[in-house]
Amino acid sequence: MIYFIWKENRFLHLVLYSAERAWSHAMEKRQLPDGPNARQRIYLIGRLRKAVKWADLFSRLCAAKGDSRTSLEAEAYAAYMNGNLLFEQDRTWDTALKNFISARAVYEELGKYGDLENQLLCRERVEELEPSIRYCRHKIGQSNLQTSDLLQIGEMEGPALDLFKTKLEAVMAEARSQQAASLTEFYWLGHKFPISNAKTRVAILKAQELEQDLHGPSADSLSAEKKLVIFDKIFTAYHEARSSIRSDLVSAGSADSVKDDLSGLDKAVSAVLAQRTMERNQLLVTIAKSKLTRRCEDKNEKVTRPEELVRLYDLLLQNTSDLSDLVSSGRDTKHEEVAFSENCAARNLAFRAQRCFYLAKSYSLAGKRTEAYVLYCRARSLAENALQKFQSFNNTDEMIKELKTLYGECRSNICIEHASAILEAEKAPENLSKKVSAISLSGGDKKVEKYLLEKLDAYESVVGDANVKAPPRIGVFPPAFQAIPRNPIILDLAYNYIDFPSLENRMKKDKKGFISRLWR
């Protein structure tokens, strides 16, 4: 193959593809769900060695046959592959740092020349190499990176960061283990629960770090999709904490004080998990409402129906009831728990008002004005009661703004439904006469789902119903032919071939007199 390369420059692609193939095989093992095991890790490092071998050969051949720019790019590519191998082996961090710095320097120079597309590619590669360089300096001791800095680097995207992200998880786990030593108690609604298990500490600390991302100053810049991903990670961390707590409960034995502490900690973690679940459902409600209001603008986007919001508010009502049950299940109730229970009751009332509002909207879209009117009135009453409760808390929460908006929308929709019902009632006789006049026996060639004769057992209005677009049809005419049974046809073919016995001996004989004998 090398002899052909010296004759034709296109055969350099074979060497480059071989290097890329080996590297992609290594990345495939790296991206397994549970990570590579010992055997797969040996294979991974072997494929990286093969990628380094092909990259070095590619660099030498480009130096011999290519121009200066191609030779520089090949050198940077080989340095990048060597740095990846050392990075994965967790050794000789100074050599890995030299390779990454060399590759970055080449790409920085190449990014100054050439066409715009090539410059952008070089700049992207420089940005991707920067986190690996900072991490190598951190391992050598030349830089003191904080945990937040590592997390910011881990949020970056790019093929050069695939190996870095795996290292980041190990570093974060080590950092959490060190910080968890200082986490000895868990505070919840005025209670302090001691944490003795190291796994429980690490899981709770991980969840609290993720909660800071959601409620921190940079939370407004996060998209809804990223927030949902963070919520999933929080749930995973708290579930890990609960499983370790319950394992400790099983192994606690007969120590009542230890059991009480572990039971209280389990209750507190469960309550926080329920709070985060409620926050996630509220985020889903916000997303659904934004799609509901944009239904006229984005025709290609899936439209949110009011029934979906009703289902989400059912989940929120279940969350508030679960939280109330958890708080009220304690033996000694503190002031914080009483205030929390009252807040849960007020939120439950607000969610009921919201659910009733969107249930009324679904009835309104179905053309059922009476039901929608009654439900809007009920939603307005619930919103008014919830608003009074929240205002009594002296709370400037966003819930008060939502309830005020809901109250106004209920009033306007009540008027709309009332007016629409009056208009429909005035037009009802005219519409009914039109629909009755449109009734036909069969409907011609139009296909109908069901005819009136097929729905005699169902009590539903067909004539004058606003939901029915096509006029009703009585039945199919002329009726279709039906198969009926007929008498069987019997062909007696054996009659002519049967010899019947003589029956003369059984026949009745006539009696003859004396005179008849003379005439014989």
Side-chain angles (χ1 to χ4, degrees):
M1 181 179 66
I2 298 177
Y3 296 108
F4 285 106
I5 290 174
W6 285 103
K7 295 179 182 180
E8 182 63 49
N9 291 336
R10 290 183 303 167
F11 285 95
L12 285 170
H13 295 168
L14 296 175
V15 185
L16 177 61
Y17 291 162
S18 298
E20 286 292 306
R21 181 171 179 268
W23 180 83
S24 63
H25 281 178
M27 294 303 101
E28 183 182 8
K29 296 297 180 184
R30 169 55 62 195
Q31 294 175 358
L32 291 174
D34 298 330
N37 53 29
R39 186 174 180 178
Q40 292 168 344
R41 180 173 169 76
I42 293 173
Y43 176 79
L44 185 152
I45 293 176
R47 298 309 297 171
L48 284 178
R49 286 199 183 99
K50 188 71 71 174
V52 168
K53 176 184 174 182
W54 286 110
D56 289 338
L57 177 61
F58 179 70
S59 176
R60 294 198 302 270
L61 293 174
C62 287
K65 299 296 292 183
D67 56 6
S68 58
R69 182 181 180 88
T70 305
S71 177
L72 276 175
E73 287 185 4
E75 288 180 8
Y77 181 74
Y80 167 67
M81 285 295 181
N82 279 282
N84 278 338
L85 175 61
L86 298 173
F87 196 91
E88 179 62 30
Q89 289 177 336
D90 285 337
R91 63 183 187 185
T92 58
W93 292 102
D94 52 349
T95 309
L97 178 62
K98 290 178 182 178
N99 282 287
F100 285 136
I101 290 176
S102 176
R104 184 185 65 177
V106 173
Y107 285 120
E108 283 178 348
E109 287 297 320
L110 293 176
K112 299 176 182 178
Y113 310 100
D115 56 357
L116 182 61
E117 183 179 1
N118 198 12
Q119 291 180 18
L120 290 175
L121 290 174
C122 291
R123 290 171 186 172
E124 287 179 2
R125 182 50 64 94
V126 169
E127 292 176 357
E128 292 172 1
L129 286 170
E130 187 63 30
S132 300
I133 293 172
R134 295 175 66 186
Y135 184 81
C136 289
R137 286 176 175 169
H138 173 69
K139 297 296 288 187
I140 295 172
Q142 297 179 2
S143 174
N144 294 324
L145 284 178
Q146 301 296 327
T147 304
S148 59
D149 298 332
L150 290 173
L151 284 173
Q152 290 176 0
I153 297 174
E155 292 175 356
M156 299 173 62
E157 299 292 338
L161 296 173
D162 292 335
L163 291 174
F164 174 77
K165 289 181 179 179
T166 58
K167 300 294 180 184
L168 178 63
E169 291 294 330
V171 172
M172 292 301 299
E174 183 180 354
R176 288 192 192 100
S177 299
Q178 295 175 358
Q179 294 179 10
S182 60
L183 184 65
T184 58
E185 292 180 336
F186 186 76
Y187 297 92
W188 179 72
L189 295 182
H191 294 278
K192 296 180 182 179
F193 303 101
I195 308 174
S196 57
N197 194 336
K199 290 183 179 180
T200 308
R201 293 176 182 173
V202 172
I204 292 175
L205 186 63
K206 181 180 179 181
Q208 289 177 350
E209 289 177 357
L210 294 168
E211 287 172 355
Q212 290 178 1
D213 295 337
L214 284 177
H215 304 292
S218 61
D220 295 335
S221 61
L222 293 175
S223 62
E225 289 76 12
K226 288 186 177 181
K227 287 183 179 180
L228 291 175
V229 172
I230 293 175
F231 271 119
D232 292 338
K233 293 180 180 179
I234 291 174
F235 297 155
T236 303
Y238 276 126
H239 281 302
E240 290 176 0
R242 289 182 64 189
S243 62
S244 61
I245 291 170
R246 292 181 179 182
S247 299
D248 293 341
L249 271 171
V250 173
S251 60
S254 59
D256 294 336
S257 60
V258 176
K259 280 189 173 182
D260 289 342
D261 291 338
L262 290 173
S263 298
L265 181 60
D266 182 47
K267 172 186 170 182
V269 171
S270 301
V272 175
L273 181 59
Q275 283 182 273
R276 300 298 168 260
T277 305
M278 187 168 66
E279 291 175 3
R280 180 181 182 275
N281 290 334
Q282 285 179 304
L283 177 61
L284 292 175
V285 166
T286 304
I287 297 171
K289 284 182 179 179
S290 64
K291 292 181 180 179
L292 182 69
T293 55
R294 289 202 310 265
R295 65 178 181 272
C296 297
E297 301 174 4
D298 303 333
K299 295 183 179 179
N300 296 327
E301 190 177 1
K302 185 179 178 182
V303 178
T304 300
R305 296 180 301 173
E307 292 83 358
E308 297 177 15
L309 283 163
V310 172
R311 182 184 59 83
L312 289 174
Y313 278 111
D314 283 333
L315 294 176
L316 286 170
L317 289 171
Q318 184 63 40
N319 295 148
T320 53
S321 63
D322 292 342
L323 271 173
S324 299
D325 293 341
L326 279 172
V327 173
S328 60
S329 61
R331 287 176 290 184
D332 51 341
T333 304
K334 291 193 174 184
H335 173 70
E336 292 84 354
E337 292 179 342
V338 174
F340 188 81
S341 298
E342 293 177 353
N343 187 274
C344 284
R347 285 184 177 274
N348 187 285
L349 199 58
F351 293 150
R352 284 175 59 195
Q354 295 272 11
R355 180 187 180 277
C356 191
F357 175 79
Y358 287 103
L359 187 61
K361 190 174 284 291
S362 65
Y363 274 100
S364 176
L365 293 175
K368 298 181 178 180
R369 305 297 176 189
T370 305
E371 292 85 349
Y373 179 84
V374 173
L375 287 169
Y376 278 130
C377 293
R378 177 61 176 165
R380 183 182 65 175
S381 175
L382 291 172
E384 186 177 6
N385 295 335
L387 189 60
Q388 290 176 359
K389 281 197 173 185
F390 275 102
Q391 288 175 347
S392 65
F393 296 153
N394 295 325
N395 192 357
T396 58
D397 193 56
E398 291 185 358
M399 188 65 74
I400 296 178
K401 297 179 181 178
E402 291 183 8
L403 288 171
K404 288 182 178 179
T405 305
L406 177 66
Y407 185 82
E409 289 181 355
C410 287
R411 289 188 61 187
S412 60
N413 280 283
I414 287 170
C415 298
I416 291 172
E417 293 301 325
H418 192 193
S420 301
I422 293 173
L423 290 174
E424 290 178 0
E426 290 181 354
K427 294 181 179 180
E430 181 182 357
N431 294 333
L432 184 61
S433 62
K434 287 182 180 179
K435 289 183 179 288
V436 170
S437 62
I439 293 178
S440 63
L441 188 61
S442 61
D445 297 332
K446 295 182 180 179
K447 293 183 178 179
V448 184
E449 295 181 0
K450 276 191 176 183
Y451 293 92
L452 293 179
L453 291 177
E454 298 175 0
K455 299 191 294 183
L456 295 178
D457 56 341
Y459 182 77
E460 58 183 54
S461 175
V462 177
V463 180
D465 195 349
N467 297 327
V468 179
K469 296 181 180 179
R473 307 286 184 248
I474 296 175
V476 181
F477 187 83
F481 288 102
Q482 296 181 359
I484 60 173
R486 58 155 295 163
N487 295 330
I489 299 174
I490 300 175
L491 300 176
D492 196 350
L493 301 177
Y495 182 79
N496 297 328
Y497 298 94
I498 298 175
D499 293 332
F500 294 100
S502 177
L503 301 176
E504 292 182 357
N505 57 348
R506 295 189 180 185
M507 295 176 63
K508 185 178 180 182
K509 297 180 179 180
D510 296 334
K511 294 181 180 181
K512 297 180 179 180
F514 174 76
I515 298 174
S516 63
R517 293 177 184 176
L518 295 176
W519 293 101
R520 193 184 303 178

